[in-house]
């Protein structure tokens, strides 16, 4: 922390009795914010989720109590009220509480619900945003969320609801028509159904799809496939959650922009979109 000191004096401190509802980013500790790092260095208790890895927890102040509050994928989240109540209790005990969640706390992270409980209980809190997996994870996969002449909109979508099924609250037809690029969280289990719905809504079967697993960690894996082939490709590859599913033409840019792959010797092609145009014309 010391060598960051020019930036740090103006940062707020995590005070006793406060909760910092904080995003830890997608995995790589280098993607933590300065405020998250500050919270790790000051917290008495860190209440963390399954998606927060040991490299990040290792940055906690020695002596900080680490409390696991994870929920495993797809299960009904009956524990959510307990977690919120626990945060209130810790704050009322005068602890400095860091509530650490994967990615950004307000993106499919139920951070809003926890914050509402804090408001109700009169517990003072700060929200520290984090880099959401759908943004940082895609950058580490070499896939831009938007690219000029390719898409001017992108949609973040959850692939399952609180019951663990493909959400009917999502209007798949409207999404298919309105969002040229879809970034799907929690979608691996239901990828076959989701691909079917997008196809039924008029998306092309040869549209590129990428599955990005454990993005930004040492275990990052990326599967490039198509809408028609993605369900079988996921089953065959054994690729595992947490994973993002990205649907859209921007996925083609990975052939040029897989900077992480290039570190391992992948040859990057500078013009993947033109190549596609030529091969379609020919
Ligand atoms: N608040 C988090 C999302 C929580 S929902 C955020 O902003 O990123 C959990 C889902 O996030 C996972 O099912 C997966 O789709 C996605 N996710 C989180 N971390 C990930 C990672 N490192 N790699 C790929 N997907 C990830």
């Amino acid at each position: 922390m010391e060598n960051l000191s020019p930036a740090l004096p103006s940062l707020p401190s995590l005070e006793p009795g406060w909760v910092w509802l904080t995003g830890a980013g997608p995995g790589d500790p280098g993607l933590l914010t300065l405020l998250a790092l500050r919270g790790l260095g000051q917290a008495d208790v860190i209440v963390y989720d399954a998606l927060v890895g040991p490299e990040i927890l290792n940055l906690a102040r020695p002596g900080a109590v680490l409390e696991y509050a994870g929920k495993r994928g797809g299960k009904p989240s009956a524990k959510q009220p307990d977690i919120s109540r626990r945060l209130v209790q810790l704050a009322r005990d005068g602890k400095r509480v860091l509530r650490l969640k994967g990615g950004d706390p307000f993106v499919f992270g139920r951070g809003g619900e926890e914050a509402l409980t804090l408001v109700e209980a009169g517990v003072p809190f700060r929200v520290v945003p984090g880099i959401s997996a759908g943004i940082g994870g895609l950058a580490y996969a070499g896939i831009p969320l938007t690219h000029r002449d390719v898409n001017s909109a992108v949609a973040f979508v959850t692939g399952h609801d609180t019951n663990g099924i493909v959400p009917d609250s999502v209007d798949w037809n409207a999404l298919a028509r309105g969002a040229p690029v879809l970034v799907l969280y929690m979608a691996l289990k239901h990828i076959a159904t989701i691909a079917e719905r997008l196809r039924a809504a008029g998306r092309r079967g040869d549209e590129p799809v990428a599955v990005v697993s454990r993005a930004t960690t040492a275990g990052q894996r990326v599967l490039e496939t198509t809408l028609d082939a993605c369900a079988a490709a996921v089953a065959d590859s054994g690729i595992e959650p947490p994973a993002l599913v990205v649907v859209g033409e921007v996925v083609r840019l990975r052939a040029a922009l897989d900077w992480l792959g290039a570190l391992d010797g992948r040859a990057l092609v500078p013009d993947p979109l033109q190549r596609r145009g030529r091969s379609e014309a020919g």
Side-chain angles (χ1 to χ4, degrees):
M1 289 278 269
E2 273 80 76
N3 54 3
L4 298 170
S5 57
L8 289 179
S10 62
L11 292 177
S13 286
L14 174 47
E15 303 286 350
W18 278 67
V19 177
W20 278 14
L21 189 52
T22 302
D28 182 345
L31 298 178
L32 286 167
T33 61
L34 291 176
L35 280 169
L37 193 60
R38 179 113 170 152
L40 279 159
Q42 295 184 330
D44 299 313
V45 185
I46 299 172
V47 182
Y48 68 98
D49 279 350
L51 288 170
V52 180
E55 292 127 312
I56 286 173
L57 294 173
N58 281 342
L59 299 169
R61 178 176 69 77
V65 175
L66 303 182
E67 275 194 24
Y68 176 67
K71 294 168 299 217
R72 299 293 173 183
K75 302 247 166 62
S77 308
K79 281 174 64 189
Q80 187 62 49
D82 295 347
I83 297 168
S84 298
R85 273 200 294 273
R86 179 72 183 141
L87 297 177
V88 170
Q89 182 194 359
L90 288 167
R92 286 186 175 157
D93 287 348
K95 305 288 188 214
R96 287 177 267 237
V97 185
L98 186 72
R99 173 65 174 122
L100 201 55
K101 302 168 86 77
D104 182 280
F106 280 180
V107 178
F108 302 130
R110 310 195 67 175
E113 286 161 68
E114 290 176 19
L116 287 173
T117 308
L118 298 175
V119 173
E120 204 176 19
V123 170
F125 68 99
R126 165 181 284 270
V127 179
V128 180
I131 297 182
S132 190
I135 295 180
L138 261 62
Y140 271 46
I143 301 169
L145 274 173
T146 68
H147 191 72
R148 200 154 66 97
D149 302 333
V150 177
N151 66 312
S152 44
V154 55
F156 296 104
V157 187
T158 175
H160 73 59
D161 60 19
T162 44
N163 302 314
I165 52 176
V166 178
D168 284 327
S169 53
V170 171
D171 182 342
W172 294 97
N173 284 316
L175 264 188
R177 272 183 276 110
V181 172
L182 301 166
V183 179
L184 301 148
Y185 291 66
M186 298 174 275
L188 208 51
K189 197 165 155 207
H190 299 300
I191 192 167
T193 313
I194 291 166
E196 260 169 43
R197 294 205 184 172
L198 291 174
R199 286 286 280 130
R203 297 292 280 245
R204 291 193 338 267
D206 66 352
E207 186 167 352
V209 170
V211 180
V212 186
S213 164
R214 298 189 181 139
T216 82
T217 73
Q220 175 171 311
R221 250 185 101 184
V222 184
L223 181 69
E224 287 182 58
T225 173
T226 63
L227 211 45
D228 274 348
C230 63
V234 162
D236 291 349
S237 68
I239 199 161
E240 288 190 337
L244 298 151
V245 177
V246 189
V247 181
E249 290 297 321
V250 286
V251 168
R252 290 189 205 282
L253 285 154
R254 178 170 148 82
L257 304 180
D258 179 18
W259 57 273
L260 205 51
L263 295 177
D264 281 338
R266 177 174 182 178
L268 301 178
V269 296
D271 59 350
L273 298 177
Q274 268 120 40
R275 272 164 196 254
R276 174 170 175 263
R278 275 204 298 275
S279 69
E280 274 189 350

